Amino acid sequence: MNKLDIINKLAADLGLNQKIAKIAVDTIVDTIKKAIIDGERVEIRGFGSFTLRSYKGYKGRNPKSGEVVEVSPKRLPYFKVGKELKDMIWKG
Amino acid sequence: MTKIEIVASLYEKLGFSKRECANIVDAFFQTIKETLAKEENVKLSGFGNFIVKTKRARRGRNPQTGEEIKIAERKVLNFRLSQVFKEEINSK
């Protein structure tokens, strides 16, 4: 399922105009993205939480050529799955 | 950030009632959860993919007692960050 599928499902389930549903989905995703970029923790009960983690730079190796490469420090969001969703997936 | 702030930004964008905005946000996460529960992956372009992975059954050991235990096959949720989003975070 991709973004368009979600938009279509929301439009159908909630009786929304497709254009409105698209704006809604984009707004939700953009709002979460902005918070993560600002380093803010995002927590959605029953779904999960996103936290931004910082990683130090290190000397890595290209596994194919064996060449040593410098990996610069980076920040990556970490997603921790919420209990309810975890149980839903577990039980199918 | 929690759901409340996401509802607020939707409220600003759409001008619907807070109640309606809350329904949209809930339906958004519910749709993703139900899809993942069916073991179908969810792709949000520009954000990332939620992927259900099956972990094989394996034999584990209770580190405290040394007792061998069976760990059954289980499903876990993986979040794969979008390259675009990764660059957005680290270009700041």
Side-chain angles (χ1 to χ4, degrees):
Chain A
M1 175 174 263
N2 59 27
K3 210 190 227 176
L4 185 62
D5 298 322
I6 297 174
I7 291 166
N8 289 336
K9 181 153 183 5
L10 288 193
D13 288 0
L14 303 175
L16 293 172
N17 168 319
Q18 222 230 5
K19 221 170 169 179
I20 298 288
K22 185 183 185 314
I23 295 171
V25 169
D26 285 340
T27 305
I28 294 169
V29 174
D30 287 346
T31 304
I32 296 172
K33 278 179 74 168
K34 265 187 212 128
I36 293 173
I37 290 171
D38 289 344
E40 204 187 322
R41 178 190 152 88
V42 179
E43 182 179 339
I44 312 295
R45 278 284 155 87
F47 182 76
S49 60
F50 296 95
T51 43
L52 195 58
R53 292 186 173 179
S54 296
Y55 297 86
K56 279 183 224 158
Y58 57 93
K59 280 201 174 70
R61 212 173 266 278
N62 179 332
K64 241 185 197 152
S65 63
E67 191 192 350
V68 178
V69 285
E70 195 71 45
V71 180
S72 43
K74 62 192 165 192
R75 299 189 306 162
L76 298 174
Y78 169 76
F79 175 70
K80 186 173 189 294
V81 62
K83 197 178 179 305
E84 194 196 327
L85 179 54
K86 196 179 185 176
D87 288 346
M88 278 171 83
I89 291 170
W90 183 283
K91 284 159 194 150
Chain B
M1 166 184 269
T2 62
K3 221 149 67 178
I4 299 166
E5 286 89 353
I6 300 172
V7 171
S9 79
L10 202 54
Y11 173 76
E12 260 177 53
K13 192 89 180 183
L14 294 179
F16 288 2
S17 74
K18 280 259 167 76
R19 182 75 190 246
E20 284 169 301
C21 292
N23 282 343
I24 295 172
V25 174
D26 283 337
F28 173 78
F29 288 110
Q30 194 59 33
T31 301
I32 296 178
K33 280 157 70 172
E34 282 168 8
T35 306
L36 294 171
K38 288 186 289 185
E39 277 180 66
E40 194 189 321
N41 299 334
V42 175
K43 298 178 177 188
L44 289 174
S45 59
F47 187 76
N49 299 343
F50 294 94
I51 297 159
V52 180
K53 281 195 172 162
T54 306
K55 294 265 188 189
R56 266 181 312 188
R58 62 185 168 94
R59 257 193 247 157
R61 206 178 274 278
N62 180 332
Q64 229 151 58
T65 63
E67 187 192 355
E68 221 174 65
I69 44 168
K70 266 186 216 156
I71 298 171
E73 181 185 278
R74 65 203 169 94
K75 293 182 195 92
V76 294
L77 181 60
N78 261 240
F79 174 64
R80 289 274 305 157
L81 186 69
S82 135
Q83 281 304 312
V84 177
F85 190 19
K86 184 179 171 180
E87 276 157 29
E88 281 172 5
I89 292 168
N90 290 290
S91 66
K92 249 189 78 170

